[in-house]
Amino acid sequence: MNANNYLVLAAILFTIGAFGVLVRRNAIIVFMSVEMMLNAANLAFVAAARITGTLDGQVTAFFVMVVAAAEVVVGLAIILTIFRTRKSASIDEASLLKY
Amino acid sequence: MIAALIGLPLFGATVLLLGGRRTNSWGHYLAVLMSGSAFLVGVNQFMKMVSLADEERSLTQHLFTWIAVGRLEVPFALHLDQLSIVFVLLITGVGTLIHIYSIGYMEHDENRRKFFAYLNLFVAAMLLLVLANNYLLLYVGWEGVGLASYLLISFWQQKPSAAAAGKKAFIVNRVGDVGLSIAVMLMFVTFGTVTFEGVAQSAANANQTTVTWIGLALLLAACGKSAQFPLQSWLLDAMEGPTPVSALIHAATMVTAGVYLIARAHAIFDLSETARTAVVIIGAITLLLGAYIGTAKDDIKKGLAGSTMSQIGYMILAAGLGPVGYVFAIFHLLTHGMFKAGLFLGAGSVMHGMHDDVNMRHYGALRSFMKITYVTFGLGFLAIIGIPPFAGFWSKDEIIHAAFGQSILIGLATLLGAGVTAFYMTRMMTMTFFGEARWEDDVHPHESTNTMTIPMIVLSFGSVLGGLLLLYVGDIEHWLEPVVGFAYPAHSVSNTVLIPITLSVVLLGAGYAWFKYGRRPVPVTAPTNVSFLTKAARADAYGDAFNEAVFMRPGQHLTRLLTFFDAKGVDGVVNGLAATVGGLSARVRSTQSGYTRSYALFIFGGAALIAFVLLLVRL
Amino acid sequence: MNGESVVFWVTATFSVMGAVGMVVSRKAVHSALWVAFTMINIAILYFSLEAAFLGTVQIVVYTGAVMMLFLFVLMIVGVDSADSLLETIKGQRLVASLFGISFGAMLIAGITSSGAINARGLTVANNFRGSNIKGLAELIFGRYLLAFEVTSALLITAALGAMVLAHRERVHPRKTQAQLQRERTLSGHPTPLPAPGVMATNNAVNVPGLLPDGSPSQASLPKPFQSNGDDETTTKEVTK
């Protein structure tokens, strides 16, 4: 099978994730979209590892997962803090930092 | 011992300036003491020098190496020879008399201590100027003289005119100083040394054009300090200073520096016919211009100032004649130093008795009220117009004689100058001391105190005997010959013919002035319906007007233009840039909406753009 | 069509479906479920890409830990809250679609422009150390040791950061039992509060209990679900 297909799938997932970041207002869903983009990137790494016949791509994906886990913890804590003060999880609410 | 000559007055100036009010009560005595002891040191040196043979009379005292950079090595060394010593004696001798005179003259001035400090500084700077053994050190003294003259001319700085006069003297002198600095630089580049000795030795091998340029630059310097045409304008304004300062500037220091410089740099001028001719022309112009200005002045001090210009013109002219003239330039400088100091001190004495009124039209018939002043002033008068056997006759006659040796035209100019001198001096004499009294009722003319009259009396001895003593007892020609060289004028009009001619021209001038001002009553206010020539002379021959029109106005216009350019051009660009950025920012600002998603959209757009570019490059 | 192709096309379809579902779901919980679905499909893809270890980690870390964390937070924020899908920023959706489509198209064009690629496969690499896990371990604790150690620092920092962010300073001292007793007695309602609705046809905890007169009691609800009476949904659900 053409190995490109994996990469194309990764591209599609990445684009959908990015679109989700742009159009959804719920901070948690935005965050999920970011996770989706990370997963798409991971998929591309793993597919590339297989294409090149080395394991480095897989190691990179592994590190991405670790970093993503750390990022989720901090990100969700931030969302919680915002929710506590604003009683809302909408990221449009936190728009005071402007001109 | 040579360093002590400079050190003593410098010490006095330092103590008085740093000592402050504590020295108020005794400061002026210290200054007189310092100046007087410098004179005594000078006399001592002179005596020693007299007892030595001609070739041993030149002394050098190396104090320390001042500058040593690469090829340039300038020692801080003093040089005392036959030329320096006569200047030293003149400066310290006349200077001390003026110091003594100032005790009386400045008695009621609250800044008397400062005045004496500046006088000492002036003397010290002038001594450094004449004792330096190289041009750079001379330049230090030169600048010191400029500074001291600035401080003294604008001594009554509460008067705007005095402050302006001080500034004017300083600025005009600066023009001349540029000439000296250029000359020093040229010397270093051409000869690799700036000592008098070194320059004199290597000048003969140097390029003729370069030597001429050095000579012209030195002439510019001399013009600045000695108030020669075209840099003469500061001298008349310098009368704003206290009268002793005028006497000091005009007789002993400052204006003589230019003559000294040319005589000292004779090695340069001997080699360049062009530079010498320029010196003679400048001297001739100034001698006639100064005398001409002097004829119309009602201000006694300004009249004397015009006279100084004229007499210095004689000296510069003589110095430009080469070996036939250097000696007589110095000779005239010495006699002039004595009688002009006497005249100025006399004028100060008159002013002192007349409530500081300087207008001669308010004087008249003062001879019976100020007998000592009358006599001393009169002797100075006889000396300056050149009546034998008074001092001026001997020196001026020698210059005229040498000038005729050079060319008939120059000779006639000096002869004419002598006639005009007789005219304006007789005018001054009659307007002040003869005729009927023209002063106001509340003025009570009186003779000055002893501290003022004694210096005048001493100087009047110089006016009477100075010429004879120097010429026949001192044998000045041979005294100075080892330093500046001497030659008899080759083919001049014989003295037996020339002296009667000169005397008759002088008597003609004096007689005309007597006829015009002594026989007829002098109007108290200056007549206004006078000829153009008189008006021009009253306006200093339009020297100031010329400077103003040619230098000041265009300078102001240039400044205005630059300001305009700065305000509209430079500031316009800067402000325009700021306004553009500001306006653009105000519009771009709306993209900063605060919405995270909006920012994310920009990032995503950027990513899409990069993807597009990458694709474009690859395909 | 070999087995790999079958697996790919099925899981690819499912994962794209899950991704789209995540974006279009109104409720956050539904989005989370769609994401979990996509993650599992991606894990399957990892297995078929000869990355068994990563596939396992994907399931354990993502679907197991990360997504559960998401659901946990959703509980706090409000499971039930539904987003309005109306766009508030002018032109955002249009431009986002434009950029998205062009970006995706350009990526795909870039990937496919080089033509078909035959993967080398990981058989050699995996067998070099004996197995996939041993090969990864060799790399992680060998060539990438520094990155691994730095990652540990990152994890510790993240944990500390989360604690700091979630921590709330106690402003008042803890109330004692005596204080609580006094407050309760003085509140005019010393008896226990009425229980919320008990009929399990609904999310019972947000349905107010009925008072003897038949009217719903707001006091029976936990604080996050209480309303001042003007909340339509609550009232509606009660009347139902």
Side-chain angles (χ1 to χ4, degrees):
Chain A
M1 199 190 75
N2 185 358
N4 266 346
N5 290 349
Y6 290 100
L7 298 177
V8 171
L9 175 64
I12 292 170
L13 290 179
F14 185 90
T15 310
I16 294 173
F19 186 74
V21 170
L22 295 179
V23 298
R24 293 310 298 259
R25 256 169 308 180
N26 189 322
I28 299 176
I29 297 181
V30 169
F31 215 49
M32 289 177 199
S33 302
V34 172
E35 292 301 318
M36 181 68 75
M37 289 161 75
L38 283 170
N39 267 285
N42 269 355
L43 180 59
F45 273 124
V46 174
R50 187 152 173 268
I51 291 169
T52 58
T54 56
L55 288 177
D56 297 71
Q58 289 192 14
V59 174
T60 311
F62 173 75
F63 280 124
V64 170
M65 281 182 195
V66 176
V67 173
E71 175 231 337
V72 164
V73 170
V74 177
L76 287 176
I78 292 172
I79 290 173
L80 260 186
T81 317
I82 293 174
F83 179 74
R84 262 189 220 150
T85 52
R86 298 197 170 265
K87 301 288 172 219
S88 159
S90 168
I91 58 167
D92 284 1
E93 293 274 330
S95 63
L96 286 177
L97 193 64
K98 58 181 177 182
Y99 54 86
Chain B
M1 279 309 274
I2 309 176
L5 282 171
I6 303 168
L8 285 168
L10 194 62
F11 171 76
T14 313
V15 168
L16 291 189
L17 285 175
L18 296 182
R21 238 170 279 145
R22 265 156 295 177
T23 60
N24 267 358
S25 51
W26 46 268
H28 45 285
Y29 296 119
L30 178 77
V32 172
L33 184 71
M34 287 301 143
S35 178
S37 36
F39 176 63
L40 291 181
V41 172
V43 170
N44 179 38
Q45 291 288 337
F46 177 67
M47 291 304 176
K48 267 198 241 168
M49 199 180 276
V50 170
S51 62
L52 293 170
D54 264 3
E55 54 274 15
E56 291 169 356
R57 284 177 175 165
S58 172
L59 293 172
T60 300
Q61 187 180 11
H62 188 280
L63 293 178
F64 54 89
T65 301
W66 182 27
I67 297 171
V69 184
R71 279 202 301 139
L72 178 66
E73 189 171 339
V74 183
F76 199 100
L78 304 175
H79 180 76
L80 187 70
D81 59 12
Q82 292 93 322
L83 180 62
S84 308
I85 193 73
V86 295
F87 270 92
V88 167
L89 291 177
L90 178 74
I91 294 161
T92 53
V94 176
T96 305
L97 291 174
I98 291 170
H99 272 73
I100 295 168
Y101 178 87
S102 303
I103 295 177
Y105 192 85
M106 300 298 282
E107 195 168 7
H108 305 297
D109 198 293
E110 55 189 16
N111 287 323
R112 181 168 63 169
R113 170 185 54 82
K114 219 161 65 176
F115 182 77
F116 276 91
Y118 293 159
L119 280 187
N120 260 354
L121 184 67
F122 207 159
V123 170
M126 193 65 197
L127 286 171
L128 179 61
L129 197 161
V130 298
L131 286 173
N133 98 320
N134 60 66
Y135 287 97
L136 204 60
L137 197 55
L138 179 146
Y139 193 50
V140 175
W142 191 269
E143 290 295 325
V145 168
L147 168 70
S149 69
Y150 165 75
L151 292 171
L152 284 169
I153 291 169
S154 55
F155 186 73
W156 287 323
Q157 74 239 76
Q158 66 272 21
K159 284 198 296 181
S161 58
K167 257 195 292 188
K168 188 175 180 183
F170 202 67
I171 290 167
V172 176
N173 265 294
R174 191 77 333 133
V175 179
D177 296 348
V178 170
L180 184 54
S181 60
I182 289 173
V184 172
M185 290 181 229
L186 271 177
M187 281 174 197
F188 173 63
V189 170
T190 318
F191 309 128
T193 175
V194 292
T195 57
F196 296 141
E197 208 180 351
V199 169
Q201 277 167 6
S202 30
N205 310 323
N207 182 352
Q208 182 68 28
T209 323
T210 316
V211 172
T212 304
W213 278 111
I214 293 173
L216 291 177
L218 288 173
L219 175 62
L220 178 65
C223 282
K225 268 293 176 275
S226 292
Q228 297 299 292
F229 180 82
L231 300 178
Q232 81 285 4
S233 62
W234 66 270
L235 191 71
L236 291 149
D237 285 17
M239 292 300 121
E240 289 292 341
T243 309
V245 176
S246 309
L248 199 58
I249 287 178
H250 288 247
T253 59
M254 188 91 179
V255 293
T256 59
V259 182
Y260 171 78
L261 182 68
I262 291 179
R264 185 51 90 184
H266 62 92
I268 301 283
F269 288 98
D270 285 346
L271 288 171
S272 172
E273 184 72 38
T274 322
R276 268 210 314 277
T277 314
V279 173
V280 169
I281 291 170
I282 292 290
I285 292 175
T286 315
L287 123 76
L288 293 175
L289 189 71
Y292 164 58
I293 290 173
T295 56
K297 289 289 174 189
D298 292 333
D299 182 330
I300 185 167
K301 282 176 76 183
K302 292 210 168 166
L304 285 173
S307 150
T308 302
M309 257 175 77
S310 168
Q311 300 300 315
I312 303 285
Y314 270 110
M315 299 168 207
I316 296 281
L317 186 147
L321 294 176
V324 298
Y326 293 130
V327 168
F328 299 125
I330 304 299
F331 182 28
H332 192 55
L333 193 152
L334 295 173
T335 56
H336 173 256
M338 289 183 260
F339 62 68
K340 186 50 71 66
L343 286 171
F344 261 111
L345 297 188
S349 173
V350 170
M351 284 161 57
H352 207 64
M354 298 294 290
H355 285 213
D356 287 332
D357 191 347
V358 291
N359 195 335
M360 291 191 290
R361 292 185 187 276
H362 301 161
Y363 296 165
L366 287 175
R367 66 179 182 282
S368 45
F369 294 91
M370 303 179 174
K371 288 208 167 60
I372 301 173
T373 308
Y374 165 60
V375 172
T376 53
F377 197 92
L379 291 172
F381 157 74
L382 292 173
I384 192 172
I385 66 172
I387 300 291
F390 298 99
F393 164 75
W394 306 103
S395 52
K396 200 187 281 183
D397 181 65
E398 294 284 10
I399 291 177
I400 295 171
H401 185 237
F404 269 108
Q406 179 81 5
S407 96
I408 295 289
L409 209 61
I410 301 294
L412 285 178
T414 54
L415 202 57
L416 179 65
V420 181
T421 305
F423 173 80
Y424 67 74
M425 282 314 295
T426 312
R427 173 177 177 269
M428 191 180 290
M429 194 72 195
T430 49
M431 280 173 89
T432 306
F433 293 103
F434 296 97
E436 77 281 22
R438 295 184 296 275
W439 61 79
E440 304 285 326
D441 289 338
D442 57 339
V443 179
H444 304 290
H446 55 86
E447 189 54 87
S448 304
T449 54
N450 284 342
T451 47
M452 289 167 72
T453 50
I454 289 169
M456 285 152 62
I457 295 165
V458 174
L459 284 169
S460 69
F461 277 107
S463 305
V464 180
L465 301 170
L468 267 173
L469 286 177
L470 281 170
L471 197 59
Y472 293 109
V473 180
D475 197 6
I476 185 142
E477 295 157 21
H478 294 108
W479 174 260
L480 288 174
E481 191 185 349
V483 183
V484 294
F486 177 65
Y488 282 103
H491 33 266
S492 181
V493 188
S494 158
N495 258 338
T496 44
V497 184
L498 194 58
I499 289 172
I501 295 176
T502 313
L503 276 177
S504 46
V505 169
V506 165
L507 289 176
L508 202 69
Y512 181 55
W514 175 257
F515 173 73
K516 216 174 160 200
Y517 297 95
R519 299 269 309 281
R520 284 187 251 161
V522 179
V524 176
T525 49
T528 46
N529 56 338
V530 289
S531 67
F532 171 75
L533 283 174
T534 315
K535 277 185 190 154
R538 278 181 189 165
D540 304 344
Y542 298 118
D544 283 343
F546 178 82
N547 286 345
E548 199 172 301
V550 175
F551 300 110
M552 195 187 91
R553 299 266 173 235
Q556 283 181 336
H557 279 116
L558 184 69
T559 316
R560 238 175 265 145
L561 192 73
L562 288 176
T563 320
F564 178 80
F565 176 73
D566 182 56
K568 300 286 169 191
V570 178
D571 289 6
V573 168
V574 173
N575 291 340
L577 205 65
T580 311
V581 170
L584 215 62
S585 309
R587 274 150 195 75
V588 174
R589 195 175 66 163
S590 58
T591 60
Q592 299 291 311
S593 56
Y595 291 116
T596 319
R597 294 189 298 138
S598 180
Y599 302 154
L601 187 63
F602 279 108
I603 296 173
F604 192 52
L609 199 68
I610 291 173
F612 177 68
V613 171
L614 284 176
L615 209 59
L616 214 61
V617 171
R618 222 180 95 179
L619 291 181
Chain C
M1 203 179 228
N2 55 8
E4 195 198 336
S5 297
V6 174
V7 169
F8 174 79
W9 288 114
V10 172
T11 50
T13 317
F14 280 167
S15 51
V16 171
M17 201 166 80
V20 172
M22 174 203 75
V23 175
V24 299
S25 293
R26 279 188 76 210
K27 291 196 172 184
V29 179
H30 296 170
S31 289
L33 291 175
W34 281 120
V35 172
F37 181 62
T38 308
M39 301 269 172
I40 291 172
N41 277 300
I42 291 177
I44 295 168
L45 280 176
Y46 285 174
F47 281 110
S48 84
L49 284 169
E50 300 174 73
F53 175 68
L54 276 183
T56 316
V57 171
Q58 171 84 0
I59 290 173
V60 173
V61 172
Y62 267 113
T63 44
V66 171
M67 289 323 294
M68 286 315 112
L69 205 56
F70 269 101
L71 287 173
F72 212 69
V73 172
L74 276 173
M75 293 293 197
I76 298 173
V77 172
V79 179
D80 233 20
S81 60
D83 286 357
S84 158
L85 286 181
L86 272 173
E87 184 54 64
T88 45
I89 303 176
K90 212 174 100 187
Q92 171 86 1
R93 196 168 285 179
L94 180 74
V95 180
S97 315
L98 210 69
F99 280 170
I101 290 167
S102 54
F103 181 73
M106 282 187 290
L107 273 190
I108 292 168
I111 291 165
T112 53
S113 67
S114 53
I117 302 173
N118 275 323
R120 286 190 193 165
L122 287 169
T123 323
V124 180
N126 279 343
N127 291 342
F128 184 68
R129 289 286 166 195
S131 74
N132 178 245
I133 295 178
K134 284 181 179 168
L136 282 179
E138 176 78 23
L139 281 176
I140 291 171
F141 299 111
R143 193 191 295 173
Y144 297 107
L145 184 64
L146 181 68
F148 182 75
E149 295 293 346
V150 173
T151 314
S152 69
L154 176 76
L155 280 170
I156 290 172
T157 316
L160 279 174
M163 278 163 66
V164 169
L165 283 168
H167 179 69
R168 248 191 291 195
E169 202 69 40
R170 182 176 285 282
V171 186
H172 306 289
R174 194 186 184 91
K175 283 175 184 166
T176 59
Q177 284 234 313
Q179 272 177 319
L180 288 170
Q181 173 62 35
R182 197 173 303 123
E183 274 176 18
R184 189 164 179 179
T185 313
L186 289 176
S187 68
H189 207 299
T191 56
L193 291 168
V198 288
M199 289 197 279
T201 57
N202 211 317
N203 187 2
V205 82
N206 66 352
V207 178
L210 298 180
L211 294 175
D213 59 357
S215 61
S217 168
Q218 288 291 324
S220 66
L221 294 174
K223 275 225 175 99
F225 298 105
Q226 280 179 6
S227 73
N228 301 326
D230 56 350
D231 192 328
E232 280 179 28
T233 48
T234 327
T235 324
K236 200 164 60 193
E237 300 212 356
V238 169
T239 49
K240 190 161 62 181

